[in-house]
mmCIF file of all heavy atoms in Angstrom:
data_model
loop_
_atom_site.group_PDB
_atom_site.id
_atom_site.type_symbol
_atom_site.label_atom_id
_atom_site.label_comp_id
_atom_site.label_asym_id
_atom_site.label_seq_id
_atom_site.Cartn_x
_atom_site.Cartn_y
_atom_site.Cartn_z
ATOM 1 N N ILE Z 30 2.337 -12.831 -6.371
ATOM 2 C CA ILE Z 30 3.727 -12.406 -6.559
ATOM 3 C C ILE Z 30 3.808 -10.883 -6.521
ATOM 4 O O ILE Z 30 4.690 -10.318 -5.864
ATOM 5 C CB ILE Z 30 4.297 -12.988 -7.866
ATOM 6 C CG1 ILE Z 30 4.437 -14.516 -7.717
ATOM 7 C CG2 ILE Z 30 5.629 -12.333 -8.222
ATOM 8 C CD1 ILE Z 30 4.730 -15.252 -8.999
ATOM 9 N N LYS Z 31 2.868 -10.212 -7.179
ATOM 10 C CA LYS Z 31 2.851 -8.747 -7.163
ATOM 11 C C LYS Z 31 2.732 -8.223 -5.734
ATOM 12 O O LYS Z 31 3.442 -7.288 -5.335
ATOM 13 C CB LYS Z 31 1.704 -8.223 -8.023
ATOM 14 C CG LYS Z 31 1.608 -6.704 -8.037
ATOM 15 C CD LYS Z 31 0.591 -6.215 -9.048
ATOM 16 C CE LYS Z 31 -0.793 -6.183 -8.491
ATOM 17 N NZ LYS Z 31 -1.746 -5.470 -9.374
ATOM 18 N N GLY Z 32 1.869 -8.830 -4.935
ATOM 19 C CA GLY Z 32 1.703 -8.409 -3.546
ATOM 20 C C GLY Z 32 2.967 -8.592 -2.739
ATOM 21 O O GLY Z 32 3.360 -7.714 -1.965
ATOM 22 N N ALA Z 33 3.629 -9.727 -2.918
ATOM 23 C CA ALA Z 33 4.867 -9.994 -2.189
ATOM 24 C C ALA Z 33 5.965 -9.017 -2.588
ATOM 25 O O ALA Z 33 6.711 -8.522 -1.740
ATOM 26 C CB ALA Z 33 5.312 -11.429 -2.424
ATOM 27 N N VAL Z 34 6.071 -8.742 -3.858
ATOM 28 C CA VAL Z 34 7.071 -7.794 -4.354
ATOM 29 C C VAL Z 34 6.809 -6.409 -3.758
ATOM 30 O O VAL Z 34 7.730 -5.736 -3.278
ATOM 31 C CB VAL Z 34 7.073 -7.761 -5.898
ATOM 32 C CG1 VAL Z 34 7.870 -6.580 -6.430
ATOM 33 C CG2 VAL Z 34 7.606 -9.073 -6.454
ATOM 34 N N ALA Z 35 5.549 -5.987 -3.769
ATOM 35 C CA ALA Z 35 5.195 -4.664 -3.239
ATOM 36 C C ALA Z 35 5.517 -4.567 -1.747
ATOM 37 O O ALA Z 35 6.105 -3.580 -1.296
ATOM 38 C CB ALA Z 35 3.715 -4.375 -3.495
ATOM 39 N N VAL Z 36 5.143 -5.583 -0.972
ATOM 40 C CA VAL Z 36 5.385 -5.553 0.465
ATOM 41 C C VAL Z 36 6.888 -5.573 0.761
ATOM 42 O O VAL Z 36 7.380 -4.777 1.569
ATOM 43 C CB VAL Z 36 4.658 -6.721 1.172
ATOM 44 C CG1 VAL Z 36 5.102 -6.848 2.618
ATOM 45 C CG2 VAL Z 36 3.149 -6.517 1.093
ATOM 46 N N ALA Z 37 7.621 -6.450 0.117
ATOM 47 C CA ALA Z 37 9.073 -6.506 0.336
ATOM 48 C C ALA Z 37 9.719 -5.174 -0.038
ATOM 49 O O ALA Z 37 10.607 -4.683 0.676
ATOM 50 C CB ALA Z 37 9.688 -7.650 -0.469
ATOM 51 N N GLY Z 38 9.274 -4.583 -1.140
ATOM 52 C CA GLY Z 38 9.820 -3.295 -1.564
ATOM 53 C C GLY Z 38 9.504 -2.181 -0.588
ATOM 54 O O GLY Z 38 10.360 -1.324 -0.310
ATOM 55 N N CYS Z 39 8.292 -2.173 -0.044
ATOM 56 C CA CYS Z 39 7.929 -1.160 0.961
ATOM 57 C C CYS Z 39 8.815 -1.293 2.196
ATOM 58 O O CYS Z 39 9.337 -0.298 2.712
ATOM 59 C CB CYS Z 39 6.465 -1.310 1.366
ATOM 60 S SG CYS Z 39 5.256 -0.777 0.129
ATOM 61 N N ILE Z 40 8.970 -2.520 2.678
ATOM 62 C CA ILE Z 40 9.770 -2.749 3.883
ATOM 63 C C ILE Z 40 11.223 -2.346 3.650
ATOM 64 O O ILE Z 40 11.827 -1.660 4.486
ATOM 65 C CB ILE Z 40 9.650 -4.216 4.347
ATOM 66 C CG1 ILE Z 40 8.228 -4.466 4.855
ATOM 67 C CG2 ILE Z 40 10.698 -4.552 5.412
ATOM 68 C CD1 ILE Z 40 7.892 -5.920 5.081
ATOM 69 N N TYR Z 41 11.789 -2.750 2.528
ATOM 70 C CA TYR Z 41 13.174 -2.369 2.254
ATOM 71 C C TYR Z 41 13.312 -0.848 2.265
ATOM 72 O O TYR Z 41 14.231 -0.301 2.895
ATOM 73 C CB TYR Z 41 13.652 -2.927 0.909
ATOM 74 C CG TYR Z 41 15.030 -2.408 0.588
ATOM 75 C CD1 TYR Z 41 16.154 -2.996 1.149
ATOM 76 C CD2 TYR Z 41 15.204 -1.275 -0.207
ATOM 77 C CE1 TYR Z 41 17.416 -2.485 0.907
ATOM 78 C CE2 TYR Z 41 16.457 -0.756 -0.448
ATOM 79 C CZ TYR Z 41 17.556 -1.360 0.108
ATOM 80 O OH TYR Z 41 18.803 -0.835 -0.118
ATOM 81 N N ARG Z 42 12.425 -0.161 1.572
ATOM 82 C CA ARG Z 42 12.520 1.296 1.485
ATOM 83 C C ARG Z 42 12.420 1.954 2.863
ATOM 84 O O ARG Z 42 13.174 2.876 3.165
ATOM 85 C CB ARG Z 42 11.456 1.817 0.519
ATOM 86 C CG ARG Z 42 11.861 1.601 -0.920
ATOM 87 C CD ARG Z 42 10.699 1.702 -1.904
ATOM 88 N NE ARG Z 42 11.201 1.615 -3.265
ATOM 89 C CZ ARG Z 42 11.609 0.494 -3.849
ATOM 90 N NH1 ARG Z 42 11.552 -0.654 -3.195
ATOM 91 N NH2 ARG Z 42 12.066 0.501 -5.084
ATOM 92 N N LEU Z 43 11.489 1.478 3.687
ATOM 93 C CA LEU Z 43 11.368 2.042 5.033
ATOM 94 C C LEU Z 43 12.609 1.745 5.866
ATOM 95 O O LEU Z 43 13.069 2.596 6.627
ATOM 96 C CB LEU Z 43 10.116 1.496 5.718
ATOM 97 C CG LEU Z 43 8.801 2.016 5.142
ATOM 98 C CD1 LEU Z 43 7.636 1.175 5.634
ATOM 99 C CD2 LEU Z 43 8.608 3.486 5.479
ATOM 100 N N ARG Z 44 13.132 0.561 5.716
ATOM 101 C CA ARG Z 44 14.311 0.149 6.483
ATOM 102 C C ARG Z 44 15.506 1.052 6.196
ATOM 103 O O ARG Z 44 16.341 1.293 7.073
ATOM 104 C CB ARG Z 44 14.643 -1.302 6.141
ATOM 105 C CG ARG Z 44 15.785 -1.883 6.930
ATOM 106 C CD ARG Z 44 15.936 -3.368 6.683
ATOM 107 N NE ARG Z 44 16.272 -3.730 5.330
ATOM 108 C CZ ARG Z 44 17.509 -3.759 4.833
ATOM 109 N NH1 ARG Z 44 18.524 -3.415 5.576
ATOM 110 N NH2 ARG Z 44 17.715 -4.129 3.600
ATOM 111 N N VAL Z 45 15.591 1.575 4.978
ATOM 112 C CA VAL Z 45 16.737 2.426 4.631
ATOM 113 C C VAL Z 45 16.389 3.913 4.693
ATOM 114 O O VAL Z 45 17.148 4.740 4.213
ATOM 115 C CB VAL Z 45 17.338 2.042 3.254
ATOM 116 C CG1 VAL Z 45 17.854 0.614 3.286
ATOM 117 C CG2 VAL Z 45 16.347 2.250 2.121
ATOM 118 N N GLY Z 46 15.227 4.249 5.298
ATOM 119 C CA GLY Z 46 14.931 5.649 5.574
ATOM 120 C C GLY Z 46 13.878 6.330 4.733
ATOM 121 O O GLY Z 46 13.723 7.550 4.825
ATOM 122 N N ALA Z 47 13.132 5.604 3.939
ATOM 123 C CA ALA Z 47 12.093 6.228 3.118
ATOM 124 C C ALA Z 47 10.981 6.787 4.006
ATOM 125 O O ALA Z 47 10.752 6.316 5.126
ATOM 126 C CB ALA Z 47 11.497 5.212 2.138
ATOM 127 N N SER Z 48 10.290 7.780 3.492
ATOM 128 C CA SER Z 48 9.145 8.372 4.187
ATOM 129 C C SER Z 48 7.865 7.643 3.786
ATOM 130 O O SER Z 48 7.852 6.857 2.833
ATOM 131 C CB SER Z 48 9.015 9.848 3.801
ATOM 132 O OG SER Z 48 8.647 9.954 2.422
ATOM 133 N N LYS Z 49 6.802 7.949 4.490
ATOM 134 C CA LYS Z 49 5.509 7.381 4.111
ATOM 135 C C LYS Z 49 5.114 7.839 2.703
ATOM 136 O O LYS Z 49 4.522 7.064 1.945
ATOM 137 C CB LYS Z 49 4.431 7.764 5.118
ATOM 138 C CG LYS Z 49 4.513 6.984 6.407
ATOM 139 C CD LYS Z 49 3.291 7.257 7.257
ATOM 140 C CE LYS Z 49 3.273 6.338 8.461
ATOM 141 N NZ LYS Z 49 2.000 6.440 9.193
ATOM 142 N N GLU Z 50 5.436 9.064 2.358
ATOM 143 C CA GLU Z 50 5.124 9.564 1.012
ATOM 144 C C GLU Z 50 5.876 8.759 -0.041
ATOM 145 O O GLU Z 50 5.328 8.445 -1.105
ATOM 146 C CB GLU Z 50 5.461 11.060 0.897
ATOM 147 C CG GLU Z 50 4.605 11.959 1.763
ATOM 148 C CD GLU Z 50 5.017 11.968 3.242
ATOM 149 O OE1 GLU Z 50 6.176 11.628 3.586
ATOM 150 O OE2 GLU Z 50 4.147 12.290 4.073
ATOM 151 N N ASP Z 51 7.133 8.434 0.248
ATOM 152 C CA ASP Z 51 7.917 7.601 -0.666
ATOM 153 C C ASP Z 51 7.270 6.226 -0.838
ATOM 154 O O ASP Z 51 7.205 5.687 -1.945
ATOM 155 C CB ASP Z 51 9.351 7.403 -0.153
ATOM 156 C CG ASP Z 51 10.156 8.684 -0.078
ATOM 157 O OD1 ASP Z 51 9.882 9.624 -0.855
ATOM 158 O OD2 ASP Z 51 11.069 8.743 0.774
ATOM 159 N N VAL Z 52 6.818 5.662 0.270
ATOM 160 C CA VAL Z 52 6.183 4.342 0.223
ATOM 161 C C VAL Z 52 4.879 4.406 -0.556
ATOM 162 O O VAL Z 52 4.576 3.518 -1.353
ATOM 163 C CB VAL Z 52 5.983 3.777 1.652
ATOM 164 C CG1 VAL Z 52 5.064 2.569 1.651
ATOM 165 C CG2 VAL Z 52 7.329 3.433 2.254
ATOM 166 N N ARG Z 53 4.097 5.451 -0.340
ATOM 167 C CA ARG Z 53 2.847 5.599 -1.107
ATOM 168 C C ARG Z 53 3.153 5.665 -2.608
ATOM 169 O O ARG Z 53 2.514 4.995 -3.413
ATOM 170 C CB ARG Z 53 2.060 6.830 -0.683
ATOM 171 C CG ARG Z 53 0.751 6.993 -1.477
ATOM 172 C CD ARG Z 53 -0.064 8.179 -1.051
ATOM 173 N NE ARG Z 53 -0.606 8.071 0.275
ATOM 174 C CZ ARG Z 53 -1.656 7.329 0.614
ATOM 175 N NH1 ARG Z 53 -2.292 6.623 -0.300
ATOM 176 N NH2 ARG Z 53 -2.086 7.305 1.858
ATOM 177 N N ALA Z 54 4.146 6.443 -2.986
ATOM 178 C CA ALA Z 54 4.508 6.553 -4.403
ATOM 179 C C ALA Z 54 4.971 5.205 -4.952
ATOM 180 O O ALA Z 54 4.572 4.800 -6.053
ATOM 181 C CB ALA Z 54 5.588 7.617 -4.588
ATOM 182 N N TYR Z 55 5.796 4.496 -4.188
ATOM 183 C CA TYR Z 55 6.278 3.194 -4.631
ATOM 184 C C TYR Z 55 5.123 2.204 -4.759
ATOM 185 O O TYR Z 55 4.972 1.540 -5.790
ATOM 186 C CB TYR Z 55 7.329 2.657 -3.645
ATOM 187 C CG TYR Z 55 7.693 1.224 -3.911
ATOM 188 C CD1 TYR Z 55 8.507 0.885 -4.986
ATOM 189 C CD2 TYR Z 55 7.200 0.198 -3.116
ATOM 190 C CE1 TYR Z 55 8.824 -0.443 -5.256
ATOM 191 C CE2 TYR Z 55 7.521 -1.125 -3.369
ATOM 192 C CZ TYR Z 55 8.324 -1.436 -4.444
ATOM 193 O OH TYR Z 55 8.624 -2.748 -4.708
ATOM 194 N N ALA Z 56 4.314 2.074 -3.722
ATOM 195 C CA ALA Z 56 3.219 1.096 -3.734
ATOM 196 C C ALA Z 56 2.174 1.425 -4.799
ATOM 197 O O ALA Z 56 1.509 0.518 -5.316
ATOM 198 C CB ALA Z 56 2.573 1.027 -2.355
ATOM 199 N N SER Z 57 2.063 2.683 -5.151
ATOM 200 C CA SER Z 57 1.106 3.081 -6.192
ATOM 201 C C SER Z 57 1.508 2.579 -7.570
ATOM 202 O O SER Z 57 0.694 2.588 -8.496
ATOM 203 C CB SER Z 57 0.945 4.604 -6.211
ATOM 204 O OG SER Z 57 0.308 5.024 -5.027
ATOM 205 N N ARG Z 58 2.734 2.132 -7.710
ATOM 206 C CA ARG Z 58 3.147 1.475 -8.956
ATOM 207 C C ARG Z 58 2.442 0.131 -9.113
ATOM 208 O O ARG Z 58 2.310 -0.379 -10.225
ATOM 209 C CB ARG Z 58 4.655 1.261 -8.980
ATOM 210 C CG ARG Z 58 5.462 2.533 -9.018
ATOM 211 C CD ARG Z 58 6.965 2.324 -8.955
ATOM 212 N NE ARG Z 58 7.424 1.028 -9.398
ATOM 213 C CZ ARG Z 58 8.573 0.474 -9.020
ATOM 214 N NH1 ARG Z 58 9.353 1.100 -8.152
ATOM 215 N NH2 ARG Z 58 8.940 -0.698 -9.473
ATOM 216 N N PHE Z 59 2.025 -0.455 -7.994
ATOM 217 C CA PHE Z 59 1.407 -1.780 -7.994
ATOM 218 C C PHE Z 59 -0.106 -1.723 -7.813
ATOM 219 O O PHE Z 59 -0.833 -2.548 -8.361
ATOM 220 C CB PHE Z 59 1.995 -2.638 -6.863
ATOM 221 C CG PHE Z 59 3.469 -2.853 -6.984
ATOM 222 C CD1 PHE Z 59 4.367 -1.996 -6.376
ATOM 223 C CD2 PHE Z 59 3.972 -3.909 -7.725
ATOM 224 C CE1 PHE Z 59 5.735 -2.188 -6.481
ATOM 225 C CE2 PHE Z 59 5.336 -4.118 -7.844
ATOM 226 C CZ PHE Z 59 6.223 -3.244 -7.226
ATOM 227 N N TYR Z 60 -0.569 -0.774 -6.990
ATOM 228 C CA TYR Z 60 -1.981 -0.724 -6.594
ATOM 229 C C TYR Z 60 -2.506 0.704 -6.620
ATOM 230 O O TYR Z 60 -1.763 1.650 -6.364
ATOM 231 C CB TYR Z 60 -2.154 -1.270 -5.169
ATOM 232 C CG TYR Z 60 -1.759 -2.714 -5.031
ATOM 233 C CD1 TYR Z 60 -0.566 -3.073 -4.417
ATOM 234 C CD2 TYR Z 60 -2.576 -3.719 -5.526
ATOM 235 C CE1 TYR Z 60 -0.195 -4.408 -4.294
ATOM 236 C CE2 TYR Z 60 -2.216 -5.053 -5.409
ATOM 237 C CZ TYR Z 60 -1.032 -5.384 -4.798
ATOM 238 O OH TYR Z 60 -0.676 -6.707 -4.682
ATOM 239 N N ASP Z 61 -3.805 0.825 -6.861
ATOM 240 C CA ASP Z 61 -4.494 2.108 -6.748
ATOM 241 C C ASP Z 61 -4.729 2.362 -5.265
ATOM 242 O O ASP Z 61 -5.479 1.633 -4.619
ATOM 243 C CB ASP Z 61 -5.816 2.052 -7.509
ATOM 244 C CG ASP Z 61 -6.624 3.339 -7.399
ATOM 245 O OD1 ASP Z 61 -6.144 4.319 -6.783
ATOM 246 O OD2 ASP Z 61 -7.745 3.346 -7.927
ATOM 247 N N LEU Z 62 -4.091 3.366 -4.738
ATOM 248 C CA LEU Z 62 -4.226 3.702 -3.320
ATOM 249 C C LEU Z 62 -5.045 4.978 -3.135
ATOM 250 O O LEU Z 62 -4.899 5.671 -2.123
ATOM 251 C CB LEU Z 62 -2.845 3.849 -2.672
ATOM 252 C CG LEU Z 62 -1.987 2.591 -2.629
ATOM 253 C CD1 LEU Z 62 -0.614 2.901 -2.041
ATOM 254 C CD2 LEU Z 62 -2.668 1.482 -1.855
ATOM 255 N N ASN Z 63 -5.906 5.264 -4.069
ATOM 256 C CA ASN Z 63 -6.749 6.454 -3.977
ATOM 257 C C ASN Z 63 -8.006 6.164 -3.162
ATOM 258 O O ASN Z 63 -9.126 6.242 -3.658
ATOM 259 C CB ASN Z 63 -7.114 6.960 -5.375
ATOM 260 C CG ASN Z 63 -5.920 7.544 -6.083
ATOM 261 O OD1 ASN Z 63 -5.103 8.231 -5.463
ATOM 262 N ND2 ASN Z 63 -5.800 7.273 -7.360
ATOM 263 N N PHE Z 64 -7.802 5.793 -1.896
ATOM 264 C CA PHE Z 64 -8.902 5.553 -0.964
ATOM 265 C C PHE Z 64 -8.353 5.739 0.439
ATOM 266 O O PHE Z 64 -7.137 5.746 0.649
ATOM 267 C CB PHE Z 64 -9.478 4.134 -1.131
ATOM 268 C CG PHE Z 64 -8.520 3.037 -0.765
ATOM 269 C CD1 PHE Z 64 -8.473 2.533 0.533
ATOM 270 C CD2 PHE Z 64 -7.649 2.501 -1.707
ATOM 271 C CE1 PHE Z 64 -7.572 1.526 0.868
ATOM 272 C CE2 PHE Z 64 -6.747 1.490 -1.373
ATOM 273 C CZ PHE Z 64 -6.709 1.006 -0.075
ATOM 274 N N THR Z 65 -9.238 5.899 1.380
ATOM 275 C CA THR Z 65 -8.869 5.888 2.789
ATOM 276 C C THR Z 65 -9.597 4.712 3.433
ATOM 277 O O THR Z 65 -10.547 4.160 2.862
ATOM 278 C CB THR Z 65 -9.272 7.188 3.509
ATOM 279 O OG1 THR Z 65 -10.701 7.267 3.549
ATOM 280 C CG2 THR Z 65 -8.685 8.422 2.824
ATOM 281 N N LEU Z 66 -9.160 4.348 4.605
ATOM 282 C CA LEU Z 66 -9.851 3.273 5.322
ATOM 283 C C LEU Z 66 -11.285 3.663 5.638
ATOM 284 O O LEU Z 66 -12.187 2.829 5.568
ATOM 285 C CB LEU Z 66 -9.092 2.891 6.591
ATOM 286 C CG LEU Z 66 -7.675 2.348 6.371
ATOM 287 C CD1 LEU Z 66 -7.031 2.018 7.709
ATOM 288 C CD2 LEU Z 66 -7.674 1.138 5.449
ATOM 289 N N ASP Z 67 -11.506 4.934 5.961
ATOM 290 C CA ASP Z 67 -12.884 5.392 6.186
ATOM 291 C C ASP Z 67 -13.752 5.225 4.940
ATOM 292 O O ASP Z 67 -14.934 4.919 5.048
ATOM 293 C CB ASP Z 67 -12.902 6.861 6.630
ATOM 294 C CG ASP Z 67 -12.522 7.046 8.094
ATOM 295 O OD1 ASP Z 67 -12.556 6.048 8.851
ATOM 296 O OD2 ASP Z 67 -12.196 8.179 8.473
ATOM 297 N N ASP Z 68 -13.144 5.409 3.764
ATOM 298 C CA ASP Z 68 -13.894 5.246 2.509
ATOM 299 C C ASP Z 68 -14.402 3.821 2.328
ATOM 300 O O ASP Z 68 -15.472 3.608 1.758
ATOM 301 C CB ASP Z 68 -13.024 5.576 1.285
ATOM 302 C CG ASP Z 68 -12.657 7.040 1.155
ATOM 303 O OD1 ASP Z 68 -13.337 7.905 1.754
ATOM 304 O OD2 ASP Z 68 -11.652 7.318 0.453
ATOM 305 N N ILE Z 69 -13.631 2.841 2.757
ATOM 306 C CA ILE Z 69 -13.978 1.444 2.468
ATOM 307 C C ILE Z 69 -14.552 0.684 3.658
ATOM 308 O O ILE Z 69 -15.115 -0.397 3.471
ATOM 309 C CB ILE Z 69 -12.768 0.662 1.913
ATOM 310 C CG1 ILE Z 69 -11.651 0.530 2.963
ATOM 311 C CG2 ILE Z 69 -12.256 1.306 0.630
ATOM 312 C CD1 ILE Z 69 -10.551 -0.430 2.582
ATOM 313 N N ARG Z 70 -14.438 1.220 4.843
ATOM 314 C CA ARG Z 70 -14.784 0.470 6.060
ATOM 315 C C ARG Z 70 -16.202 -0.111 6.019
ATOM 316 O O ARG Z 70 -16.419 -1.261 6.365
ATOM 317 C CB ARG Z 70 -14.601 1.355 7.290
ATOM 318 C CG ARG Z 70 -14.678 0.601 8.597
ATOM 319 C CD ARG Z 70 -14.261 1.445 9.783
ATOM 320 N NE ARG Z 70 -12.805 1.505 9.872
ATOM 321 C CZ ARG Z 70 -12.078 2.592 9.661
ATOM 322 N NH1 ARG Z 70 -12.659 3.738 9.346
ATOM 323 N NH2 ARG Z 70 -10.762 2.559 9.757
ATOM 324 N N GLU Z 71 -17.177 0.642 5.601
ATOM 325 C CA GLU Z 71 -18.569 0.183 5.621
ATOM 326 C C GLU Z 71 -18.858 -0.904 4.597
ATOM 327 O O GLU Z 71 -19.730 -1.734 4.798
ATOM 328 C CB GLU Z 71 -19.521 1.362 5.411
ATOM 329 C CG GLU Z 71 -19.553 2.334 6.571
ATOM 330 C CD GLU Z 71 -19.991 1.683 7.876
ATOM 331 O OE1 GLU Z 71 -20.960 0.897 7.860
ATOM 332 O OE2 GLU Z 71 -19.341 1.945 8.909
ATOM 333 N N ARG Z 72 -18.146 -0.911 3.492
ATOM 334 C CA ARG Z 72 -18.459 -1.853 2.425
ATOM 335 C C ARG Z 72 -17.405 -2.934 2.212
ATOM 336 O O ARG Z 72 -17.594 -3.850 1.418
ATOM 337 C CB ARG Z 72 -18.724 -1.120 1.110
ATOM 338 C CG ARG Z 72 -17.519 -0.439 0.497
ATOM 339 C CD ARG Z 72 -17.901 0.353 -0.758
ATOM 340 N NE ARG Z 72 -16.841 0.855 -1.561
ATOM 341 C CZ ARG Z 72 -15.753 1.496 -1.209
ATOM 342 N NH1 ARG Z 72 -15.501 1.709 0.041
ATOM 343 N NH2 ARG Z 72 -14.881 1.942 -2.080
ATOM 344 N N TYR Z 73 -16.312 -2.862 2.954
ATOM 345 C CA TYR Z 73 -15.242 -3.833 2.774
ATOM 346 C C TYR Z 73 -15.697 -5.192 3.296
ATOM 347 O O TYR Z 73 -16.287 -5.293 4.365
ATOM 348 C CB TYR Z 73 -13.977 -3.378 3.497
ATOM 349 C CG TYR Z 73 -12.800 -4.284 3.237
ATOM 350 C CD1 TYR Z 73 -12.158 -4.277 2.003
ATOM 351 C CD2 TYR Z 73 -12.371 -5.182 4.195
ATOM 352 C CE1 TYR Z 73 -11.094 -5.127 1.748
ATOM 353 C CE2 TYR Z 73 -11.304 -6.028 3.947
ATOM 354 C CZ TYR Z 73 -10.680 -6.002 2.723
ATOM 355 O OH TYR Z 73 -9.642 -6.849 2.474
ATOM 356 N N THR Z 74 -15.420 -6.234 2.531
ATOM 357 C CA THR Z 74 -15.789 -7.591 2.934
ATOM 358 C C THR Z 74 -14.575 -8.504 2.866
ATOM 359 O O THR Z 74 -13.528 -8.129 2.335
ATOM 360 C CB THR Z 74 -16.898 -8.160 2.024
ATOM 361 O OG1 THR Z 74 -16.426 -8.181 0.666
ATOM 362 C CG2 THR Z 74 -18.171 -7.326 2.116
ATOM 363 N N PHE Z 75 -14.750 -9.710 3.369
ATOM 364 C CA PHE Z 75 -13.687 -10.705 3.379
ATOM 365 C C PHE Z 75 -13.211 -10.952 1.949
ATOM 366 O O PHE Z 75 -14.005 -11.241 1.066
ATOM 367 C CB PHE Z 75 -14.206 -12.009 3.992
ATOM 368 C CG PHE Z 75 -13.134 -12.989 4.290
ATOM 369 C CD1 PHE Z 75 -12.484 -12.978 5.511
ATOM 370 C CD2 PHE Z 75 -12.750 -13.934 3.351
ATOM 371 C CE1 PHE Z 75 -11.486 -13.890 5.805
ATOM 372 C CE2 PHE Z 75 -11.748 -14.847 3.633
ATOM 373 C CZ PHE Z 75 -11.117 -14.828 4.857
ATOM 374 N N ASP Z 76 -11.911 -10.816 1.728
ATOM 375 C CA ASP Z 76 -11.329 -11.013 0.400
ATOM 376 C C ASP Z 76 -9.922 -11.560 0.615
ATOM 377 O O ASP Z 76 -9.048 -10.852 1.093
ATOM 378 C CB ASP Z 76 -11.285 -9.689 -0.364
ATOM 379 C CG ASP Z 76 -10.806 -9.831 -1.796
ATOM 380 O OD1 ASP Z 76 -10.144 -10.846 -2.119
ATOM 381 O OD2 ASP Z 76 -11.065 -8.917 -2.587
#
């Protein structure tokens, strides 16, 4: 449910003109986004 709420909220915000920075701030209410794809690429596994 948390994931669905976060995704729906991100899409709504972008649809009405939010920036990527706005989306990062919003999504950070739900998840720790203190990583980059390069940071996790080597160790990321099926989840």
Side-chain angles (χ1 to χ4, degrees):
I30 292 169
K31 179 172 86 169
V34 167
V36 170
C39 287
I40 292 168
Y41 174 81
R42 283 163 174 75
L43 290 166
R44 184 172 64 85
V45 298
S48 67
K49 284 189 172 189
E50 294 78 22
D51 296 332
V52 167
R53 180 178 293 284
Y55 170 75
S57 292
R58 294 176 24 204
F59 300 92
Y60 298 105
D61 178 3
L62 296 176
N63 290 320
F64 65 91
T65 67
L66 298 180
D67 283 343
D68 291 340
I69 66 169
R70 191 170 280 112
E71 291 300 316
R72 68 184 190 313
Y73 185 73
T74 60
F75 191 89
D76 185 340

